[in-house]
Amino acid sequence: MESIEMSALIYCGIGETTINKILAALNIPKISATTLKRREREAGTALESVAETTCDEALQKEQHRYMF
């Protein structure tokens, strides 16, 4: 499972049972809890990095706006 797919699962709040039901309906092998958790951690790290960068950029824009 790719990080972008994993970030979508995190965003939507979809857990192991739900994703495995969806995969079963599509005739795709299920994902183990261990694999899902590992991918969740990978995606979480990437999401945190993007969030931090976005917040820093917004803060810089805000500071620049009030300097003038």
Side-chain angles (χ1 to χ4, degrees):
M1 192 167 253
E2 298 295 321
S3 289
I4 192 143
E5 295 162 342
M6 195 66 227
S7 61
L9 293 177
I10 293 170
Y11 178 77
C12 294
I14 296 175
E16 176 192 359
T17 302
T18 305
I19 192 61
N20 280 326
K21 286 180 181 180
I22 293 168
L23 294 175
L26 297 171
N27 200 26
I28 298 173
K30 70 178 189 169
I31 299 173
S32 72
T34 306
T35 301
L36 193 60
K37 194 60 165 174
R38 186 179 322 130
R39 297 293 182 233
E40 185 179 285
R41 287 186 185 118
E42 289 173 7
T45 303
L47 290 172
E48 288 173 8
S49 176
V50 170
E52 185 176 346
T53 301
T54 303
C55 287
D56 288 344
E57 289 172 1
L59 181 60
Q60 288 176 359
K61 286 180 183 178
E62 191 76 16
Q63 288 173 341
H64 181 72
R65 188 170 74 162
Y66 285 110
M67 290 178 70
F68 296 106

